[in-house]
Amino acid sequence: MYNKKVKLRALFLFLSILSAILIIFLVLKSLEENVVYFLSPTEIKNLNETTAEKIRVGGMVKDQSIKINSDKINFIITDFKNEINVVYSGIIPNLFQENKGVVAEGVLKDKSFFEAEKILAKHDENYMPPEVKASLGEN
Amino acid sequence: MNFIKKYEFSFVQKSQRIILFLFLIILILGLLEALVLSPEDYLQGDSVRIMYVHVPSAWISLGIFSLMALLSVMVFIFKNKFFFLIAKSLAPSGFVFSLIALVTGSIWGKPTWGTWWAWDARITSMLILCIFYLMYLIAWRIFENKDYVYKVTSIIAILGVINIPIIKFSVDWWSTLHQPSSVNILAKTTIHSSMLIPLVIMTAAFALFSLLIFLMKYNTELIKIKNKGLDRL
């Protein structure tokens, strides 16, 4: 068997790593609101007050909610519990589609209206060839 | 500890040739699968092919850092400095792969998300890994004192390994722009098998490449020690 010194060193290392993990866990926990990249419409709804600062809202683009009129584009971000109306003018990424993920960066006018300055498409974890997608759609 | 023997040199050198050969075959096979045979994605089109470089690089850079931390822990507990040489020789390929993962992710992000860079939890923690690799490599260069350099590098490796589960689970713990993992052991894998095959082959190719670079670097370290007339570490 290993001698006492080896065991003590292992214990010391174990305790050091454990405390480091706990400290980092606490730091991340307290920084939670800065670590998240975007808020969901439900989290927006639960905000105590709306700030004039730039924030990000993310979720799904609601089915048949994209409306384009001249230079403005309107759509609804939903997390299937709550919704938020978004208005935006500018370039949209190729993958911006209905029923797909989106992250909008901009200013919250009120809890149901968001003025976006930048639109990012969020890709999900599904990868498949077009034929498979087509056959999934038929089912 | 006298571990430098003649057979070890010849073994390392012979296995290098075999691994180089294997690597080239698997790389050609992987590239053929990834660039020609595999289908395009229903949503991303051809930019899905970046994934066949991006994901294996990220996996391997995470794996190598974990291994380096494990070796540093072993050194600390068993006071066997032989493991340092392995950890040191592993670091360069890990660093390069973490850099490749960041760069290819950025190239993929522009057409897909609409941005080169986002300060979300996954991407930021991956950048931290890259910085830890760099610190580790620089530490070996700047500290002359042997005992000191062992201490500093193992502290960097052991502290940095806490970041590894943060990278892995960042997409589950927080809302990130980066998508959650598609290849899962416990949950359902959400990547079609025709795309999983090139991913697996490319991972094997990159792993062999890391092994090859590791052996070359390790061999160099052994020669360095031999030339200095040191038969122990």
Side-chain angles (χ1 to χ4, degrees):
Chain A
M1 270 312 281
Y2 304 121
N3 65 31
K4 207 178 166 194
K5 268 254 166 82
V6 173
K7 279 183 192 161
L8 273 179
R9 281 202 294 263
L11 182 66
F12 175 77
L13 201 64
F14 173 73
L15 291 174
S16 321
I17 293 173
L18 189 70
S19 52
I21 288 170
L22 285 175
I23 289 166
I24 288 167
F25 176 75
L26 285 176
V27 169
L28 284 176
K29 198 79 191 154
S30 64
L31 289 174
E32 181 107 47
E33 54 186 295
N34 294 319
V35 176
V36 296
Y37 192 67
F38 57 84
L39 301 172
S40 68
T42 304
E43 285 163 332
I44 296 282
K45 202 183 175 195
N46 296 337
L47 283 178
N48 288 327
E49 51 194 87
T50 56
T51 56
E53 281 172 49
K54 227 188 260 185
I55 57 163
R56 295 191 198 94
V57 185
M60 284 286 189
V61 181
K62 199 186 174 189
D63 196 22
Q64 298 183 344
S65 72
I66 299 179
K67 287 182 185 67
I68 301 168
N69 30 9
S70 65
D71 62 335
K72 276 201 161 51
I73 174 167
N74 287 278
F75 61 95
I76 297 170
I77 295 180
T78 176
D79 60 358
F80 305 114
K81 291 189 201 87
N82 290 287
E83 299 178 343
I84 187 161
N85 291 291
V86 181
V87 63
Y88 173 70
S89 58
I91 303 160
I92 49 166
N94 292 338
L95 266 68
F96 176 76
Q97 286 176 17
E98 283 167 355
N99 294 318
K100 292 287 168 199
V102 71
V103 177
E105 190 178 301
V107 184
L108 202 60
K109 290 295 168 191
D110 63 58
K111 283 192 180 174
S112 61
F113 190 73
F114 189 78
E115 205 177 280
E117 291 164 18
K118 200 166 151 193
I119 297 283
L120 302 174
K122 185 168 163 26
H123 189 261
D124 63 15
E125 69 274 31
N126 296 304
Y127 296 82
M128 56 187 128
E131 309 87 70
V132 177
K133 178 66 183 172
S135 68
L136 276 180
E138 281 166 19
N139 293 339
Chain B
M1 190 183 49
N2 189 356
F3 62 86
I4 304 165
K5 297 189 184 87
K6 241 191 183 146
Y7 73 86
E8 192 161 358
F9 272 117
S10 61
F11 169 74
V12 165
Q13 253 152 13
K14 201 178 281 172
S15 60
Q16 269 179 36
R17 252 173 262 138
I18 298 166
I19 289 163
L20 178 66
F21 184 67
L22 265 178
F23 161 68
L24 286 175
I25 288 175
I26 292 181
L27 183 73
I28 290 165
L29 204 70
L31 285 177
L32 194 71
E33 267 285 346
L35 299 178
V36 183
L37 297 175
S38 73
E40 56 178 46
D41 187 65
Y42 76 104
L43 198 59
Q44 307 165 50
D46 277 324
S47 59
V48 70
R49 301 185 198 284
I50 298 173
M51 184 213 21
Y52 304 129
V53 176
H54 175 76
V55 174
S57 308
W59 281 345
I60 284 171
S61 67
L62 259 66
I64 287 179
F65 203 93
S66 311
L67 205 58
M68 281 160 54
L70 186 70
L71 288 163
S72 303
V73 167
M74 306 247 279
V75 179
F76 185 82
I77 295 173
F78 300 111
K79 294 282 169 199
N80 185 343
K81 288 180 177 161
F82 168 65
F83 293 127
F84 269 130
L85 223 54
I86 300 177
K88 186 187 178 184
S89 313
L90 278 169
S93 46
F95 170 65
V96 169
F97 277 125
S98 73
L99 211 58
I100 290 174
L102 284 173
V103 171
T104 52
S106 186
I107 294 168
W108 181 85
K110 186 62 186 169
T112 318
W113 295 333
T115 183
W116 296 102
W117 187 265
W119 291 103
D120 83 340
R122 168 59 73 83
I123 303 168
T124 310
S125 56
M126 197 62 198
L127 179 68
I128 294 171
L129 177 72
C130 192
I131 293 169
F132 264 94
Y133 266 122
L134 201 58
M135 286 194 325
Y136 185 89
L137 287 169
I138 291 171
W140 277 104
R141 292 274 175 111
I142 55 175
F143 297 112
E144 295 290 327
N145 185 315
K146 272 274 174 281
D147 285 333
Y148 197 63
V149 78
Y150 291 153
K151 267 182 202 141
V152 172
T153 53
S154 52
I155 287 170
I156 293 170
I158 291 167
L159 273 184
V161 82
I162 299 168
N163 191 28
I164 300 291
I166 295 177
I167 297 175
K168 174 78 184 82
F169 296 111
S170 56
V171 286
D172 304 323
W173 291 343
W174 303 294
S175 64
T176 55
L177 187 59
H178 194 286
Q179 59 268 39
S181 68
S182 301
V183 182
N184 301 304
I185 294 166
L186 296 174
K188 194 173 170 286
T189 294
T190 57
I191 177 167
H192 192 259
S193 58
S194 61
M195 295 169 163
L196 191 60
I197 293 164
L199 186 62
V200 170
I201 298 174
M202 288 299 277
T203 308
F206 284 14
L208 281 171
F209 180 76
S210 312
L211 187 63
L212 183 69
I213 298 295
F214 161 70
L215 286 175
M216 289 162 94
K217 183 99 174 97
Y218 184 69
N219 212 15
T220 315
E221 294 292 329
L222 290 183
I223 291 166
K224 262 192 209 163
I225 291 167
K226 197 183 161 207
N227 286 354
K228 278 180 189 162
L230 303 167
D231 59 351
R232 61 190 178 85
L233 270 168

